[in-house]
């Protein structure tokens, strides 16, 4: 009869692996969302703060230096999610201004 401790340890290992895979997929999805904004971010009327947020979030996600160890991607998810929200909001404002000017 196998030891119950090994069963618990195996289950925790599987849960940890699933958490790492899911968080990696979330980071990948957020990184793709940021990269899709590349052309829009490089427009001349986009503020520098949005450009810094764009590049900073991508560099942080790719950087080996993190606030938390790499298997735990919570910090990368937070940085990328905040950047996606901020850059998206800035780009909407810039688009509205362009539309008002062109009318």
């Amino acid at each position: 009869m196998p030891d119950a401790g090994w069963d618990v340890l195996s289950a925790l290992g599987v849960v940890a692996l699933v958490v790492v895979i899911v968080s990696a997929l979330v980071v990948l999805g957020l990184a793709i969302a940021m990269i899709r904004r590349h052309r829009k971010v490089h427009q001349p009327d986009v503020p520098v703060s949005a450009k810094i947020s764009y590049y900073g979030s991508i560099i942080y996600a790719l950087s080996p230096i993190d606030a938390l160890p790499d298997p735990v991607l919570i910090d990368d998810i937070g940085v990328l999610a905040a950047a996606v929200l901020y850059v998206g909001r800035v780009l909407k404002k810039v688009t509205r201004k362009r539309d008002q000017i062109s009318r």
Side-chain angles (χ1 to χ4, degrees):
M1 183 168 152
D3 189 26
W6 287 110
D7 291 341
V8 171
L9 191 59
S10 297
L12 287 175
V14 170
V15 168
L17 181 63
V18 169
V19 167
V20 168
I21 290 171
V22 168
S23 63
L25 291 174
V26 170
V27 167
L28 183 63
L30 289 169
I32 289 171
M34 280 303 288
I35 292 170
R36 285 186 177 164
R37 290 171 166 79
H38 181 76
R39 282 191 186 171
K40 293 179 182 178
V41 168
H42 285 84
Q43 299 297 319
D45 51 349
V46 174
V48 173
S49 62
K51 294 176 183 182
I52 290 172
S53 178
Y54 173 81
Y55 283 112
S57 65
I58 292 173
I59 289 169
Y60 184 83
L62 295 175
S63 172
I65 301 170
D66 282 339
L68 298 173
D70 248 356
V72 181
L73 298 172
I74 302 295
D75 58 332
D76 294 336
I77 291 171
V79 168
L80 284 170
V84 166
L85 291 173
Y86 176 71
V87 171
R89 196 172 299 144
V90 169
L91 292 176
K92 282 182 185 178
K93 287 180 184 178
V94 168
T95 303
R96 277 190 222 130
K97 285 182 183 179
R98 270 191 224 141
D99 290 345
Q100 289 175 353
I101 292 172
S102 64
R103 289 182 186 180

